[in-house]
Amino acid sequence: MGPRSAVRPAARRPSARFRAAALAVLLGTALGGCGGDEEITMPPLTPEPGDERPGTTAAAAPTRAARVVLYKYLRGIAAGDPGACAHLAPAYERATFGGAGACRTGLARARSALRPQDLTALRGVTVPTATAGPEEGEVTVQFEELRWKTAPARPGGVLASSFTLRRNGGRWLVTA
């Protein structure tokens, strides 16, 4: 016998008919798991321990939108975000910051009046409850009702002893 040739014969390609049949078998196997009696479902979602985001209970649902506005305002103060000013009624902005439109320019000054511990506390504040009133269409949140991940902030300045929110058109605003 002679030496083997370094050239190999050309490999045979599968026919188009064979490729179509193989593809049908693969697709049939893959799609077979998508239907049938064995449905895979996700387990029910449960809140994490200590999770007190606004609206985690059904009883809190009527005040949820107002509490979310206060939550965004307080967290916005902590972040130094001038967007937090959008949650204030003009009268409250004048009373707290000294004039209409003064929140955007005075937010840095108001934040500098807070202790570093207060800013840290505001980064983790939640608003779990609110009380309807004192007027029709208003919601009040007492400072003591706020929940903190760290030691509570001190009330004073932009951190009022209570916050009243009122619906103005389609949105809630901090009014007092």
Side-chain angles (χ1 to χ4, degrees):
M1 292 223 162
R4 285 193 164 168
S5 170
V7 178
R8 291 186 173 169
R12 291 181 58 195
R13 294 184 61 181
S15 68
R17 191 176 188 183
F18 175 79
R19 286 184 292 191
L23 181 61
V25 169
L26 287 173
L27 285 174
T29 305
L31 294 176
C34 292
D37 297 332
E38 294 182 34
E39 184 176 330
I40 299 172
T41 60
M42 186 174 168
L45 297 176
T46 55
E48 292 292 320
D51 187 9
E52 296 181 17
R53 286 176 288 175
T56 55
T57 65
T63 63
R64 184 180 192 284
R67 291 180 297 111
V68 167
V69 167
L70 182 58
Y71 171 86
K72 288 179 178 181
Y73 170 64
L74 295 173
R75 292 280 181 111
I77 291 171
D81 180 10
C85 301
H87 302 296
L88 304 179
Y92 184 77
E93 186 174 15
R94 278 190 299 277
T96 305
F97 292 94
C103 176
R104 290 193 178 276
T105 57
L107 185 61
R109 186 174 11 86
R111 286 184 79 241
S112 68
L114 297 171
R115 302 176 308 160
Q117 303 93 302
D118 296 338
L119 293 172
T120 300
L122 283 171
R123 288 183 189 101
V125 70
T126 58
V127 187
T129 62
T131 307
E135 301 288 326
E136 183 71 27
E138 291 182 342
V139 171
T140 301
V141 177
Q142 299 295 326
F143 190 82
E144 298 81 32
E145 294 174 326
L146 300 173
R147 295 292 170 253
W148 311 91
K149 285 188 177 180
T150 63
R154 284 189 313 200
V158 292
L159 303 179
S161 60
S162 71
F163 295 94
T164 302
L165 295 98
R166 182 180 304 130
R167 184 179 290 279
N168 183 4
R171 33 180 270 177
W172 287 90
L173 296 174
V174 179
T175 59

